[in-house]
Amino acid sequence: MGVFGRKKNKGKNNNDNGDELPPPIIKSPSVENGFKSPRRVSLKDVIINGSSQAGTRPDMGRKQLSAKSSLSSHVTRESMKQRMSIATLNLHGLIKDDLDDDSSVASEVIPSDAFTKTMGVSRQNSTLLMDVASSSIVNADVEDPYNMPFKSQYEPSEMRCLALVAHNHMKPAMKEFVMSHKEVLKKFRLTGTNTTITLLKSIFGDDPEVCYGPSFQSGPLGGDAELCALACLEDLGGCFFFMDPLSAHPHQADIDCLVRLLNVHNILTCINPCTAHAMSFVLKSALEDGRLDQIPSFFYTLKSPGVAVYKAEQKQALEAARQS
């Protein structure tokens, strides 16, 4: 017997030919059932039909079909909507099927849709969140509680820039975010990579209250590197970076460099829509109450605590080099 309980391999004369064991037999379900693998099923087929029946062969038996579709029977349109971003739905040609009405793609955003399109919250929960936001406003009947006008204690020229950056699949989410928080965002000097700034200008139009900082190239053409330079020149106070975690980027080195320098200079940074949404309330509170202590990176040059340790080590290395 072998170590795994199988008999050792023997030759024609029933003699042992070593300790070599025969390879284990692995039976594929498709081979055992006697049918070929089904064709690839598109994501649109799965969501629209609610199962993978579109990809099965017509000569399959009912039991085989039932077993094949059991894993995907729970995949409904509503459940998939909660797992997919609006950009992904658009890429797979599903955006029109999942819109309840034409108003959600109009120039004015529906407040409850902002949670759905920027953070993946279901429509039902998004409506509940908006009800909580509206009920928190005393003696005010407003349709959009996140875009209530307010007076800032600081002018955009008195603060460092706020950069808005979004990868391609995250640009629809960035658009919805800007439209649902534009009253706060337009109190800053706005900057960012080329395509995102173009998106901002299409939203704000000719609004004289909006102030823009320097505009840069698209990310793969050096825009992230230019933002790094702006941070080193001490004119970047915050960055809302909607990063796509599911796609490869040709300028990944530049992305890593930007995130690293944002940390080195201790600049206010939000790298996903949920964090940016939460930070918008801090920004509004700081501007409205004149609390620059809440957003110090827009007014002062900060450093990571690790910078002091790094400089001390560099000083020791320099002294050692001089004495050698």
Side-chain angles (χ1 to χ4, degrees):
M1 297 292 287
V3 293
F4 296 106
R6 298 196 303 270
K7 291 184 178 180
K8 296 181 180 180
N9 214 9
K10 295 185 178 181
K12 293 182 179 179
N13 298 326
N14 205 29
N15 296 326
D16 291 345
N17 58 357
D19 293 333
E20 183 180 357
L21 298 174
I25 300 175
I26 302 176
K27 293 184 178 181
S28 170
S30 59
V31 174
E32 190 176 20
N33 294 333
F35 62 88
K36 298 180 180 179
S37 300
R39 69 172 178 84
R40 294 176 63 92
V41 183
S42 69
L43 184 57
K44 190 170 183 179
D45 289 336
V46 174
I47 298 178
I48 292 178
N49 298 328
S51 69
S52 59
Q53 296 182 14
T56 55
R57 289 169 50 92
D59 57 344
M60 290 173 58
R62 291 186 177 181
K63 292 183 179 180
Q64 296 171 356
L65 180 61
S66 176
K68 192 67 180 175
S69 61
S70 60
L71 293 178
S72 58
S73 60
H74 68 284
V75 182
T76 62
R77 177 186 298 272
E78 196 63 31
S79 65
M80 288 300 295
K81 280 169 55 181
Q82 298 179 21
R83 296 187 179 97
M84 299 169 59
S85 67
I86 197 71
T88 306
L89 292 170
N90 186 35
L91 286 175
H92 291 280
L94 300 168
I95 186 69
K96 293 182 179 180
D97 296 333
D98 285 278
L99 292 177
D100 293 338
D101 50 55
D102 295 333
S103 59
S104 57
V105 293
S107 59
E108 294 297 328
V109 66
I110 299 176
S112 61
D113 285 348
F115 287 102
T116 302
K117 297 180 180 180
T118 62
M119 287 179 276
V121 180
S122 65
R123 291 290 179 91
Q124 180 180 1
N125 292 335
S126 180
T127 303
L128 293 175
L129 289 173
M130 288 305 303
D131 291 340
V132 172
S134 300
S135 62
S136 64
I137 302 174
V138 181
N139 298 326
D141 184 15
V142 294
E143 295 183 356
D144 189 355
Y146 297 145
N147 270 325
M148 295 180 62
F150 69 97
K151 174 67 176 176
S152 173
Q153 299 297 321
Y154 307 104
E155 294 296 327
S157 58
E158 297 177 323
M159 298 181 289
R160 300 182 181 186
C161 292
L162 173 62
L164 300 178
V165 186
H167 290 148
N168 287 342
H169 291 181
M170 302 297 288
K171 282 181 172 56
M174 175 62 79
K175 178 182 178 181
E176 298 295 334
F177 171 77
V178 172
M179 294 178 68
S180 58
H181 295 88
K182 56 186 177 183
E183 284 296 327
V184 176
L185 297 177
K186 69 181 184 181
K187 299 297 191 295
F188 294 89
R189 277 190 301 140
L190 300 177
T191 186
T193 51
N194 180 61
T195 48
T196 306
I197 287 297
T198 303
L199 177 64
L200 292 179
K201 292 181 178 179
S202 68
I203 295 173
F204 288 112
D206 298 328
D207 191 339
E209 297 182 7
V210 181
C211 180
Y212 295 100
S215 58
F216 302 122
Q217 295 284 339
S218 178
L221 301 181
D224 292 333
E226 289 177 304
L227 278 173
C228 291
L230 190 68
C232 295
L233 293 173
E234 303 178 356
D235 196 27
L236 184 62
C239 181
F240 288 178
F241 194 171
F242 285 15
M243 304 174 66
D244 181 5
L246 301 178
S247 298
H249 308 285
H251 59 304
Q252 186 63 49
D254 294 348
I255 297 171
D256 296 339
C257 181
L258 175 58
V259 174
R260 189 184 73 83
L261 286 176
L262 290 172
N263 287 321
V264 167
H265 295 279
N266 208 5
I267 292 172
L268 184 150
T269 306
C270 302
I271 59 172
N272 59 51
C274 186
T275 311
H277 170 74
M279 185 54 62
S280 297
F281 300 104
V282 177
L283 296 178
K284 181 178 183 296
S285 174
L287 297 180
E288 197 170 21
D289 299 335
R291 296 287 303 275
L292 56 83
D293 61 298
Q294 294 181 348
I295 49 173
S297 61
F298 284 94
F299 300 92
Y300 301 105
T301 298
L302 310 178
K303 298 293 182 183
S304 167
V307 172
V309 178
Y310 168 78
K311 288 184 176 180
E313 292 176 347
Q314 289 297 102
K315 186 177 181 180
Q316 292 177 359
L318 180 59
E319 289 296 329
R322 288 176 177 176
Q323 296 175 4
S324 61

